[in-house]
Amino acid sequence: MRADLLTARRARALANAPRRGVLALQPSILSADFCYLGRDVDAVAATGISSLHVDVMDGRYVPNISIGLPVLESLAAATDLDLDVHLMIAEPERYIDDFAAAGADAITIHAEACVHLHRSLQRIRALGLRAGVALNPGTPLSALDEVLGLCDQVLIMTVNPGFGGQSFIRSGLDKIARLRRRIDETGWPVEIQVDGGVSPATIGEVVQAGAHWLVAGSAVFAAGRPVAEAVADLLAAARPEA
Ligand code: DX5
Ligand code: ZN
């Protein structure tokens, strides 16, 4: 792609992202009804939410298999929502170009899954996307030491990746708080995302700890009530003072 087009794509990927420092929900379609995916995506868009989280699993890096390139392509053709792709796959560097071509606005790769983390983040940015690193609950923040400046977003996992509907791992809260301090010290434009077990019961503490972009799957799509109500419940719990 030409350099000016790449710059335009990255400008769009940054502009379409939720604003840094501002609370945003990113519903994970992993818990949507895939027979009615368009309906569920429209329900998200109708709430005013601007970003959708797309979980890609390969059955190797994580024990589950979810969705991949064809679904992302269909989503990109059908919606203007920001498409935030979370690659839970081994050797994610092999697929960065393909997911960019399929319409991702952001690609997050796992530090644990990627031998050439630095190069891969550079590649994601060079393709005009936001670049993210995800850390599993057992991975220390020090995994970010040499790459934080290449990240637009860091995804703190508060479950072990692979499945929706798991219980929130509370040790993630201290990790979020430490990362928040670190980012504030550096002044780098990096946002903290949290993924796993985000619900009305946990979202308030996650925000208090210093994260602003909150991924939620089952609490949005499998809450036993319409998406709009589930989103309203999450936002109310995230901002208890409002
Ligand atoms: C889990 C995925 C999550 C998942 C979260 O490995 O990365 O994005 O959809 O699901 P909940 O919100 O149900 O924990
Ligand atoms: Zn995810």
Side-chain angles (χ1 to χ4, degrees):
M1 210 187 279
R2 281 174 16 217
D4 55 335
L5 294 179
L6 290 176
T7 311
R9 183 164 183 185
R10 183 155 159 86
R12 178 181 178 279
L14 292 171
N16 282 359
R19 289 210 350 251
R20 248 184 319 115
V22 177
L23 193 99
L25 278 182
Q26 297 181 290
S28 159
I29 60 167
L30 186 64
S31 292
D33 184 336
F34 287 113
C35 270
Y36 299 97
L37 186 55
R39 177 202 66 187
D40 286 0
V41 170
D42 288 347
V44 167
T47 68
I49 280 174
S50 65
S51 181
L52 210 57
H53 185 81
V54 181
D55 286 305
V56 178
M57 303 180 184
D58 67 350
R60 278 183 69 210
Y61 178 62
V62 291
N64 196 8
I65 298 175
S66 60
I67 54 168
L69 293 160
V71 173
L72 182 64
E73 271 174 26
S74 296
L75 282 170
T79 181
D80 289 331
L81 290 175
D82 174 72
L83 296 173
D84 182 78
V85 175
H86 177 191
L87 293 183
M88 284 163 277
I89 64 176
E91 299 179 82
E93 58 274 17
R94 295 174 56 210
Y95 289 97
I96 287 169
D97 287 45
D98 290 341
F99 278 95
D105 294 291
I107 294 180
T108 292
I109 53 181
H110 272 261
E112 310 86 357
C114 190
V115 175
H116 291 288
L117 188 57
H118 189 282
R119 177 190 288 158
S120 300
L121 292 167
Q122 283 184 319
R123 182 65 188 158
I124 295 169
R125 282 189 162 183
L127 289 166
L129 279 58
R130 303 194 305 279
V133 172
L135 300 182
N136 285 336
T139 303
L141 285 182
S142 58
L144 297 170
D145 275 357
E146 310 304 329
V147 293
L148 191 57
L150 284 173
C151 294
D152 298 295
Q153 47 199 69
V154 172
L155 180 60
I156 299 295
M157 292 300 304
T158 41
V159 297
N160 286 298
F163 301 94
Q166 301 184 83
S167 298
F168 183 81
I169 296 174
R170 294 189 58 80
S171 59
L173 292 170
D174 181 60
K175 199 172 182 180
I176 295 163
R178 282 182 281 126
L179 179 57
R180 168 50 57 206
R181 284 197 291 277
R182 174 120 187 256
I183 288 172
D184 289 349
E185 277 162 23
T186 65
W188 282 328
V190 185
E191 190 48 271
I192 303 176
Q193 281 180 301
V194 175
D195 187 2
V198 172
S199 73
T202 58
I203 195 169
E205 286 181 287
V206 171
V207 173
Q208 282 292 316
H212 297 113
W213 295 357
L214 309 166
V215 176
S218 52
V220 171
F221 294 111
R225 54 194 175 287
V227 164
E229 288 177 24
V231 165
D233 285 354
L234 280 162
L235 291 176
R239 310 183 182 113
E241 73 289 351

